[in-house]
Amino acid sequence: MANRLAKESSPYLLQHAHNPVDWYPWGEEALEAAKKLDRPILVSIGYAACHWCHVMERESFENPGVAALMNDRFINIKVDREERPDIDHIYMDALTSMTGSGGWPLNVFLTPDGRPFYGGTYYPPQAFHNMPAWTDVILAISKAWQERRGELLQQAENLTQHLVQANRIGQGAASGPDFHTEQLTQMAQVLLKNADKTEGGFGRAPKFPQTFSIAYLLRYAARFMEKSSRFASKRKDESIHWKEGALELAAEDALRQALLSLDKMIEGGIYDQLGGGFARYSTDNKWLVPHFEKMLYDQALLVSVLSEAYQLTGKTEYAETIRETIDFLERELMSAEFGFYSALDADSEGEEGKFYVWEKGEVEELLGKDAALACDWLGITNEGNWEGINILTKSRKRQELLDMGYCDQDQDKLNLRLEEIRQRLLEARKSRIRPGLDDKQLVCWNALMNSALSKAFAATGEERYRWLAEKNMAWMLRVFSGPDNNILHTYKLGKAQIPGFLDDYAYLVQALINLQEITGRTELLEEAKKLTEVIFRDFSSEDSPLFYYTNQRQTDVIVRKREVYDGAQPSGNAVMAFNIKYLGIIFERSDWSGRSASMTSVMAGSAVRYPGSFGCWAMEIMGWVDGCAEIVVVGEEADVRRNEIMANFIPYKVLQSATRENPAYPLLRHKPSAPDTLIYLCQSYNCLRPESAVDRFLEQL
């Protein structure tokens, strides 16, 4: 028999709709039931592509005996962390305060009024390796509630007050910014100290992509490059030349680590060598064994940083990886309406990764005479590289394959054969049982992907990426729009619901900015301005320059959080610091630019000490130190000149373009049309002599 979750739209909640557990969705009904029955609440949080969530469901939540214990003693609530990230953030913070660590599934016990007092992550059905059995936890919590309730209530009160205190970041802080170059070097040094200089990435397993750290190191390195090499992305055989100075070595180390990290991921098992796209993280130091789930936001962030790396280096592998990943997104994660779905599961047929791995005999049967080349290229052996089977990697570079005698030293011929091998294996893989699809669509993750498409177009000039970005943006603005200029968070089956969170607004505003840069469409800036005004109205407060995560009308959380860390996705506050600085210049709003400076100043100390956790803030600090180039392109060939400029790595800029003068925007005023399309480089609205050639403009820059 189905439980209450059967009426929900979240794929994760629907996965639990036939559990014998009497699950409630988060809402007033569950909270009122807890108060009426005087029972503690169990909140169990996960997401549709979560492997260990599936394991705990099979072992415990599908067990009628375990379910009976849960139903008799608790009000049980299931939460999709992607649908309600606000709930997840609060109780994950509570868990890490209690235990020092977190993860999913997240199981937290609350008082009937929603205050947490105990929690953990995955619990096995029997005690194992210092983990108590789930039934033992249930019985112990139930007994404590009956016999030592006062202690639990005091613990809940203490923990809630801790969450409130921790959320006061920015209150009463001095607003005067103090940004300087020494901070930039210190952040680069901290990142490099924690870097794995052999296998790429940062820290040890499990290894996450950490795209914000990579992006910061790219920006740091670019500060010390000679312009002749920095803007030579089309001349792919040109080596990097560094400016003279004491920091040259640190800059070279920064670039090496950023590119090593990208290269190792592209070559490793974390990247789907056949279908494109990246898995969530690697369980080992060498990027070989991924946690096989594919999340939309990971694709967006990796495409973005690969686009920047391609602008900086011109390395063809980066453009190829961008293309393969966007191909994957179009093929497997995009709806007919041009909206992107959330994720692909790690599991198929009850096994993690089964869809992606290969036996050597299977490859030999499929490819015949091409099997030897495929096995040498993709690291396929009889023994396998993971539990007796093969996760595909790029174990040999193309030059190595030529040196081994393949394709008679003909690079073009080799490329054709390798692409044919990839397509044949990909086609054969289609007959397998596919991992589950999380088909809800989130405005925040779609906006991240939209920005990535804009950046991919800027870097590569591939028109398809701009076309996709425009189609996706039109879809977002249509389906996620709510009353009073608000936006809604999630969309499925023709219905958008749940009031938007700060991340939804912040990422969408940033996507509108990025799309405007590659199109010149001023209506996108107007939409960004309108949404920013909503953010100030609904997410702001007088006591801190930082924004709340939830809007002022939301009442079902025990604390309104201000999220400042970069987790798997960028901090909405850090993105807003970028947005209002940019829009402050566009619309001549010094109050917005000043608010951005205050936000960044509040976070500067944390970012300098812990740039791995505050990478987006680190990039904002660099922007304040180095200044922002105001770039204006006016004339009949504005589209062509703009695209030539955008192909270069210019991370700190505001760019507007138009075929003629437009007095509605400060940067486009007093810039009349001329026989030649002109490019202006400005700062604080004061411009240098305009240039008609992009090369001469870049020398000005």
Side-chain angles (χ1 to χ4, degrees):
M1 178 183 292
N3 56 45
R4 292 174 181 82
L5 302 185
K7 297 179 181 179
E8 298 298 307
S9 61
S10 157
Y12 178 64
L13 299 187
L14 291 172
Q15 287 172 359
H16 293 78
H18 293 277
N19 294 166
V21 178
D22 185 19
W23 293 115
Y24 288 79
W26 182 271
E28 197 62 35
E29 181 186 6
L31 301 176
E32 286 300 319
K35 293 173 184 175
K36 181 179 178 180
L37 297 174
D38 192 31
R39 289 185 187 173
I41 297 169
L42 164 66
V43 174
S44 183
I45 305 175
Y47 56 104
C50 169
H51 172 70
W52 287 103
C53 300
H54 301 333
V55 172
M56 192 165 179
E57 180 189 16
R58 289 195 303 267
E59 292 176 342
S60 297
F61 301 151
E62 292 180 352
N63 184 310
V66 175
L69 290 175
M70 294 170 63
N71 295 339
D72 288 344
R73 290 164 170 78
F74 303 99
I75 296 298
N76 303 291
I77 300 178
K78 257 295 169 192
V79 173
D80 182 341
R81 77 175 179 97
E82 296 162 1
E83 190 174 72
R84 290 299 303 264
D86 55 331
I87 303 298
D88 178 59
H89 290 168
I90 290 169
Y91 295 121
M92 185 61 75
D93 282 356
L95 179 65
T96 54
S97 297
M98 287 185 277
T99 68
S101 62
W104 297 275
L106 170 61
N107 293 292
V108 182
F109 294 89
L110 321 177
T111 63
D113 59 1
R115 294 175 298 159
F117 61 84
Y118 184 81
T121 55
Y122 165 77
Y123 290 100
Q126 289 86 35
F128 180 74
H129 280 204
N130 297 320
M131 288 190 290
W134 177 238
T135 50
D136 292 342
V137 172
I138 293 170
L139 294 172
I141 295 295
S142 177
K143 183 178 181 181
W145 183 255
Q146 297 301 323
E147 299 178 2
R148 295 185 290 112
R149 184 176 304 194
E151 294 177 29
L152 299 187
L153 292 175
Q154 186 60 54
Q155 185 167 326
E157 177 62 22
N158 294 342
L159 188 53
T160 302
Q161 288 305 311
H162 170 75
L163 296 175
V164 171
Q165 292 293 330
N167 197 46
R168 289 179 174 170
I169 185 167
Q171 292 184 6
S175 59
D178 180 22
F179 309 123
H180 48 83
T181 56
E182 289 80 4
Q183 293 171 320
L184 308 186
T185 300
Q186 186 175 341
M187 291 186 288
Q189 290 172 339
V190 171
L191 291 175
L192 290 172
K193 182 179 179 179
N194 295 322
D196 182 337
K197 296 179 177 61
T198 302
E199 299 297 337
F202 306 87
R204 301 190 63 79
K207 270 189 176 175
F208 291 82
Q210 295 201 35
T211 52
F212 312 128
S213 296
I214 295 171
Y216 180 82
L217 292 179
L218 290 177
R219 284 159 175 74
Y220 185 80
R223 301 176 78 245
F224 299 95
M225 290 182 187
E226 292 287 0
K227 287 183 172 60
S228 60
S229 59
R230 182 179 171 189
F231 301 120
S233 63
K234 300 304 179 186
R235 291 169 282 169
K236 298 179 175 57
D237 58 340
E238 184 167 340
S239 59
I240 299 296
H241 299 289
W242 301 98
K243 295 177 182 177
E244 293 184 7
L247 294 174
E248 175 184 318
L249 182 61
E252 190 171 350
D253 289 343
L255 182 64
R256 183 186 300 112
Q257 186 62 32
L259 301 184
L260 175 68
S261 301
L262 293 174
D263 293 344
K264 288 292 187 177
M265 283 189 277
I266 291 169
E267 295 166 3
I270 193 174
Y271 183 66
D272 182 351
Q273 303 296 339
L274 301 183
F278 292 84
R280 180 72 196 90
Y281 62 86
S282 175
T283 63
D284 65 298
N285 288 322
K286 295 186 176 182
W287 307 102
L288 171 63
V289 184
H291 184 35
F292 287 90
E293 62 188 1
K294 286 182 175 180
M295 313 300 294
L296 176 60
Y297 58 79
D298 284 319
Q299 316 314 313
L301 296 173
L302 281 155
V303 166
S304 291
V305 77
L306 283 165
S307 298
E308 294 180 345
Y310 182 66
Q311 286 174 319
L312 199 57
T313 68
K315 189 173 180 179
T316 56
E317 287 84 355
Y318 299 152
E320 290 173 0
T321 306
I322 291 167
R323 174 179 56 80
E324 291 172 0
T325 300
I326 295 175
D327 285 349
F328 152 70
L329 289 161
E330 285 189 275
R331 186 178 63 246
E332 300 187 44
L333 280 186
M334 192 173 76
S335 74
E337 298 179 290
F338 301 99
F340 292 104
Y341 300 123
S342 292
L344 286 178
D345 205 328
D347 297 9
S348 57
E349 301 182 71
E351 294 183 26
E352 184 176 8
K354 185 173 183 179
F355 182 75
Y356 299 100
V357 296
W358 295 80
E359 294 179 349
K360 185 178 181 182
E362 184 182 10
V363 173
E364 290 173 334
E365 184 177 345
L366 280 167
L367 297 181
K369 62 182 178 61
D370 285 330
L373 173 57
C375 291
D376 281 334
W377 180 39
L378 297 171
I380 301 169
T381 65
N382 284 320
E383 300 78 17
N385 55 17
W386 178 57
E387 298 181 357
I389 203 162
N390 293 281
I391 299 171
L392 303 187
T393 64
K394 287 190 178 78
S395 63
R396 296 185 190 276
K397 299 185 183 301
R398 299 190 181 202
Q399 187 57 51
E400 292 180 83
L401 296 172
L402 291 173
D403 293 342
M404 293 170 68
Y406 288 111
C407 299
D408 303 319
Q409 303 291 321
D410 187 326
Q411 181 73 61
D412 292 337
K413 185 177 178 181
L414 176 67
N415 290 341
L416 288 172
R417 279 188 70 187
L418 293 180
E419 181 60 21
E420 182 183 351
I421 286 170
R422 189 175 75 88
Q423 291 297 334
R424 287 169 67 186
L425 291 175
L426 183 61
E427 187 65 28
R429 198 175 74 178
K430 290 180 181 178
S431 64
R432 298 178 178 180
I433 296 175
R434 298 184 52 75
L437 172 68
D438 184 339
D439 61 351
K440 70 176 179 296
Q441 295 163 301
L442 304 176
V443 65
C444 51
W445 296 3
N446 270 268
L448 286 177
M449 194 63 237
N450 196 278
S451 285
L453 289 168
S454 292
K455 290 184 178 183
F457 169 77
T460 68
E462 176 56 56
E463 186 61 44
R464 177 170 63 106
Y465 304 157
R466 177 162 63 177
W467 182 82
L468 276 174
E470 294 204 83
K471 291 289 187 181
N472 176 254
M473 180 60 73
W475 171 80
M476 281 194 288
L477 295 178
R478 176 171 58 84
V479 305
F480 289 107
S481 294
D484 201 20
N485 292 332
N486 293 308
I487 59 174
L488 300 170
H489 173 63
T490 182
Y491 175 82
K492 185 180 175 183
L493 300 175
K495 180 182 178 183
Q497 59 183 343
I498 303 176
F501 304 106
L502 178 63
D503 288 358
D504 296 312
Y505 286 88
Y507 300 172
L508 183 55
V509 170
Q510 187 177 51
L512 288 160
I513 289 170
N514 288 323
L515 186 56
Q516 178 275 150
E517 285 198 337
I518 65 169
T519 63
R521 291 171 51 199
T522 55
E523 69 270 23
L524 299 171
L525 292 173
E526 297 299 328
E527 186 69 29
K529 180 183 180 184
K530 181 179 73 176
L531 291 173
T532 299
E533 289 168 344
V534 173
I535 295 168
F536 275 96
R537 182 191 74 194
D538 291 348
F539 295 84
S540 192
S541 66
E542 296 294 329
D543 60 350
S544 172
L546 301 171
F547 295 98
Y548 286 114
Y549 189 76
T550 53
N551 72 65
Q552 62 183 350
R553 294 178 298 279
Q554 187 171 332
T555 59
D556 64 347
V557 290
I558 60 172
V559 60
R560 285 185 78 193
K561 284 180 56 60
R562 294 185 178 98
E563 293 290 344
V564 294
Y565 292 94
D566 295 318
Q569 300 145 61
S571 159
N573 268 295
V575 174
M576 280 308 301
F578 164 85
N579 290 343
I580 58 178
K581 180 182 180 183
Y582 192 107
L583 295 175
I585 295 171
I586 290 289
F587 292 106
E588 210 166 15
R589 290 289 302 268
S590 59
D591 55 331
W592 286 10
S593 300
R595 176 76 171 260
S596 174
S598 296
M599 294 172 72
T600 309
S601 179
V602 163
M603 297 307 303
S606 297
V608 170
R609 290 191 298 274
Y610 309 108
S613 298
F614 298 94
C616 291
W617 292 110
M619 287 184 271
E620 288 307 302
I621 294 170
M622 186 181 292
W624 284 105
V625 171
D626 288 352
C628 179
E630 299 162 9
I631 303 171
V632 185
V633 185
V634 179
E636 291 300 320
E637 294 189 347
D639 188 63
V640 175
R641 297 291 173 266
R642 179 187 63 233
N643 293 349
E644 292 174 0
I645 293 169
M646 293 291 289
N648 297 280
F649 186 64
I650 314 172
Y652 298 107
K653 68 180 182 304
V654 170
L655 189 151
Q656 274 194 282
S657 57
T659 56
R660 59 185 58 85
E661 178 184 8
N662 186 343
Y665 297 92
L667 287 175
L668 295 176
R669 290 175 194 154
H670 312 304
K671 296 182 176 64
S673 302
D676 293 324
T677 296
L678 296 178
I679 308 164
Y680 298 81
L681 177 61
C682 313
Q683 195 161 36
S684 301
Y685 308 102
N686 295 310
C687 302
L688 301 178
R689 184 193 68 221
E691 296 285 356
S692 58
V694 171
D695 284 349
R696 290 199 298 271
F697 159 76
L698 294 175
E699 287 303 317
Q700 280 188 335
L701 192 67

